[in-house]
Every structure is written in structure tokens, then in C-alpha cells.
Amino acid sequence: MSSSNSHTILLVQPSHKPTSRTYCDFETLTEALEGVCKIYEEHLKELNPSSLSITYDISQLFDFIDDLSDMACLIFNREQRSYEPKDKEWIKEKIYALLRKQAGK
């Protein structure tokens, strides 16, 4: 079963404080992975409010993910009718594959 078109919940905890926990839900895994990139881009915009454009490479994105206290995805498995948890490393692998695919277009 392909998980790329499955409902996905992105769980993010930026700091060690439990109150920093948040989540976003997406109709597809691809949307969730793009959502992770958007979270990082918003973070860069906050750090560089006067910049007209923001650029970064994948290693900077991965460092940002690693620096988060926690990040995980819950991906709906239609066959089992339940959500499967995925960790930061899995998320980074999928982002890498997505960005490679997008760059190849």
C-alpha cells in the first residue's frame, strides 16, 4: 500500500516544554512533507524578517528537524484502519526523496 496518498498527522514539539506541542493534519503524506518545509521556511523568515527571499539547502533543513525536541508523523493505513507512527529519520528520508523528485522535474 502506498502511504503517499494517506491522511497524515504531523506532530511537532519544538522545545522540551510539553506546552510547545502542536499538530497539523494533511490529506496526503506529500502535503505533510511540504508542510515540514514550510515550517522551516517560516522559522527562517522569523530569523530574517528583512530578507526578501529565503534560500536553504537540505542539510540546513535536516539540522532544523534534528534540533526539534520531537517530530513524528502518524500515517493512516487503510488496510489496518489505524495510524502508523514514523520518526524524524523516516521523515527526513521521505523529504529527501520528495525534493529529489521535485528537482528532477
Side-chain angles (χ1 to χ4, degrees), residues 34-68:
E34 291 171 347
V36 172
C37 296
K38 286 184 179 24
I39 289 168
Y40 181 56
E41 290 164 7
E42 290 301 318
H43 172 73
L44 290 177
K45 287 177 185 176
E46 289 175 16
L47 294 176
N48 305 289
S50 61
S51 294
L52 296 177
S53 66
I54 301 288
T55 59
Y56 60 92
D57 64 41
I58 198 162
S59 67
Q60 293 168 310
L61 172 60
F62 287 177
D63 287 344
F64 171 77
I65 292 170
D66 289 337
D67 288 343
L68 295 171

Side-chain angles (χ1 to χ4, degrees), residues 7-51:
H7 183 258
T8 303
I9 301 170
L10 177 65
L11 307 168
V12 181
Q13 184 173 345
S15 73
H16 292 290
K17 295 179 182 177
T19 57
S20 74
R21 291 179 186 152
T22 188
Y23 74 94
C24 303
D25 72 312
F26 299 91
E27 291 301 314
T28 66
L29 173 59
T30 300
E31 288 177 11
L33 298 174
E34 291 171 347
V36 172
C37 296
K38 286 184 179 24
I39 289 168
Y40 181 56
E41 290 164 7
E42 290 301 318
H43 172 73
L44 290 177
K45 287 177 185 176
E46 289 175 16
L47 294 176
N48 305 289
S50 61
S51 294

